Amino acid sequence: MLRLQAFKFEVMPTGEQQRQMRRFAGSCRFVFNKALAWQKERYEQGESRLGYAGLCKRLTEWRHDPETAWLADAPVHPLQQALKDLERAYANFFAQRADFPRFKKKGRRDSFRYPDPKQIKLNQENSRLFLPKLGWLRYRNSRNVSGMVKNVTVSQCCGKWFVSIQTERKMAQPIPKGGAVGIDMGVSRFATLSDGTFYAPLNSFKQHEKRLRKAQRAMSRKQKFSNNWKKAKARVQRIHSRIGHARRDYLHKISTTISQNHAMVCIEDLPVRNLSRSAAGTTEVPGRNVRAKSDLNKSILDQGWFEFRRQLDYKLAWNGGWLVAVPPQNTSRTCPCCGHVSADNRQSQARFECVECGFEENADVVGAINVSRAGHARFACEVSGVVRPPAAGTRRGESARVG
């Protein structure tokens, strides 16, 4: 099997290299925005949208135009990759996977990508990386890069620059270890397994909420775009970065443990966007319990359920396992002993007691058991070919790998 993996490192550029990277990121952003504006103009005039090849011809004209001749100072391949990103954004929009492409803003996700591995040189012994028009860059070599380099993405976050090296390597088909398990996601318990194991929530945002609120209030009192405002903004960005890094680290540790010890993982197909929707309502029809629902929404988004599922997806694929998504309806209301379904079975947030047979257990454990059983049924049906369509929201590597 072919394994695609990315290795991300912080780079330590010189002052001149930092200036060049800012210029390259700005050039890619300019090309993306200019191409998007040009596509919108063609649409308003009733003309058809150009594809990637047509945009590349326009890019050549822009690089030779005296008004935008500074685009020639940036390497051409990253500029072409910006046009590919725009083409992919349009494809996702027409496939109803994303919203309409939006213009990029300076300072937000500044990055550029080198797609040609022939132009990239990696010297791991001396912790150096060669990139066109940047020269040799030193990076913090925290682990070995395995496989053949496919492309390199340079990005900026909170004033620091990073490189993400994507590699490809052949590996023997792995044999999964362990059995099957169901997972019930929650707020009081982040993840509860059907064998009774549970993981407490990290609540990274909640831990830094007071500090973030203080920094944001200080930023709001500064004159916009002044030096003090820029310092305050950088302070807010660092707090957000720490929140995200802590959450991702926690999710990686849990998903790695689960994927290495189980051959099949059954998980709820949770509609996070609907669960975290605001209850404010409208002026004519105002909502109820708005503050309580707002706190619940923050707690839900603080868990990172979608990212956890994404990590489980590719890590199970690396280990030869399967991820099966099942509908979440009545998973916490169904008695695993007699099968009776009732809202009265769940006496409280944590206590489950069947009104039919008297079975008692933790509500999250009951939900995980029901998810595991539903996942087994779905897996058996798909293997036998009885039910082919995957669950709503099932992504690549879940039910699509079965059969």
Side-chain angles (χ1 to χ4, degrees):
M1 61 174 289
L2 282 177
R3 175 166 170 173
L4 291 174
Q5 187 173 1
F7 300 84
K8 191 173 183 178
F9 306 98
E10 181 185 351
V11 296
M12 298 174 287
T14 63
E16 179 60 27
Q17 287 174 334
Q18 288 191 47
R19 287 188 286 272
Q20 288 290 87
M21 288 190 290
R22 283 196 293 267
R23 293 191 188 105
F24 296 169
S27 298
C28 292
R29 181 176 61 252
F30 175 84
V31 168
F32 182 94
N33 291 340
K34 190 174 180 64
L36 178 57
W38 192 64
Q39 295 279 39
K40 284 187 173 182
E41 183 181 349
R42 286 178 59 88
Y43 175 77
E44 292 173 356
Q45 295 176 356
E47 300 179 10
S48 61
R49 181 174 61 90
L50 280 185
Y52 170 71
L55 291 176
C56 284
K57 293 182 180 179
R58 296 290 298 182
L59 175 61
T60 303
E61 298 176 4
W62 297 338
R63 285 166 60 88
H64 291 88
D65 190 343
E67 295 183 359
T68 56
W70 47 270
L71 288 176
D73 298 335
V76 65
H77 286 172
L79 300 180
Q80 292 174 347
Q81 290 298 300
L83 298 178
K84 273 197 172 181
D85 292 341
L86 178 61
E87 183 68 17
R88 189 179 300 110
Y90 266 106
N92 291 335
F93 169 71
F94 289 123
Q96 298 183 353
R97 292 190 298 263
D99 294 333
F100 189 79
R102 293 179 293 181
F103 292 101
K104 291 189 175 183
K105 186 178 179 181
K106 181 180 180 181
R108 183 174 297 176
R109 296 181 180 179
D110 287 340
S111 64
F112 54 95
R113 183 169 60 252
Y114 291 95
D116 189 2
K118 297 179 181 179
Q119 298 181 340
I120 303 167
K121 299 177 184 178
L122 180 61
N123 185 353
Q124 299 191 61
E125 296 180 357
N126 297 318
S127 303
R128 297 192 307 166
L129 176 70
F130 179 86
L131 297 175
K133 294 196 175 184
L134 283 178
W136 287 99
L137 283 166
R138 300 195 65 86
Y139 68 94
R140 298 187 183 276
N141 193 357
S142 56
R143 56 175 176 166
N144 291 329
V145 177
S146 304
M148 182 178 62
V149 177
K150 299 294 292 183
N151 59 69
V152 171
T153 301
V154 183
S155 60
Q156 184 186 29
C157 179
C158 299
K160 296 181 179 180
W161 288 92
F162 300 88
V163 289
S164 181
I165 306 171
Q166 188 183 56
T167 64
E168 180 185 79
R169 66 181 186 271
K170 290 185 178 180
M171 298 184 62
Q173 183 65 34
I175 300 176
K177 300 178 182 179
V181 69
I183 301 179
D184 181 82
M185 310 300 298
V187 174
S188 58
R189 288 183 176 185
F190 169 70
T192 304
L193 277 59
S194 55
D195 58 7
T197 307
F198 71 91
Y199 297 93
L202 178 64
N203 293 330
S204 177
F205 177 80
K206 189 175 182 180
Q207 293 179 11
H208 298 82
E209 189 173 8
K210 290 183 179 179
R211 185 183 172 196
L212 179 62
R213 185 186 300 116
K214 184 179 179 180
Q216 288 175 332
R217 286 177 177 174
M219 176 182 167
S220 66
R221 291 191 291 265
K222 302 293 188 296
Q223 181 68 33
K224 203 168 185 180
F225 302 116
S226 66
N227 288 333
N228 287 333
W229 178 84
K230 292 178 181 178
K231 294 177 185 178
K233 182 182 178 182
R235 193 176 300 112
V236 172
Q237 289 176 336
R238 285 195 296 268
I239 298 175
H240 275 297
S241 177
R242 176 168 294 184
I243 292 172
H245 289 165
R247 183 187 296 121
R248 280 189 295 270
D249 177 71
Y250 186 68
L251 296 179
H252 272 296
K253 290 176 180 177
I254 297 178
S255 59
T256 298
T257 302
I258 294 176
S259 61
Q260 289 179 349
N261 297 311
H262 299 91
M264 184 174 73
V265 175
C266 308
I267 195 169
E268 295 174 295
D269 187 18
L270 294 172
V272 180
R273 178 175 295 181
N274 295 338
L275 291 174
S276 59
R277 184 170 294 169
S278 174
T282 62
T283 306
E284 295 78 11
V285 186
R288 295 184 301 174
N289 299 326
V290 178
R291 183 178 294 275
K293 185 62 170 67
S294 176
D295 293 339
L296 177 61
N297 291 347
K298 285 196 294 184
S299 298
I300 290 175
L301 297 175
D302 197 11
Q303 306 309 313
W305 291 342
F306 180 83
E307 176 64 14
F308 178 66
R309 175 175 167 176
R310 187 191 70 85
Q311 292 179 10
L312 276 178
D313 186 4
Y314 74 82
K315 289 181 182 181
L316 283 167
W318 285 353
N319 293 303
W322 293 272
L323 180 68
V324 182
V326 299
Q329 287 79 12
N330 295 325
T331 54
S332 61
R333 298 180 177 181
T334 305
C335 177
C337 186
C338 67
H340 180 68
V341 181
S342 175
D344 298 331
N345 288 344
R346 189 159 188 172
Q347 303 292 331
S348 64
Q349 183 66 26
R351 181 167 170 258
F352 181 94
E353 182 179 354
C354 181
V355 297
E356 187 72 17
C357 66
F359 175 80
E360 294 185 17
E361 184 56 272
N362 182 277
D364 294 331
V365 176
V366 170
I369 293 173
N370 290 326
V371 169
S372 177
R373 292 180 178 179
H376 275 83
R378 188 175 193 85
F379 183 83
C381 291
E382 290 180 350
V383 169
S384 61
V386 175
V387 178
R388 291 307 302 173
T394 301
R395 297 167 54 248
R396 181 207 61 79
E398 295 174 3
S399 301
R401 285 203 305 270
V402 182

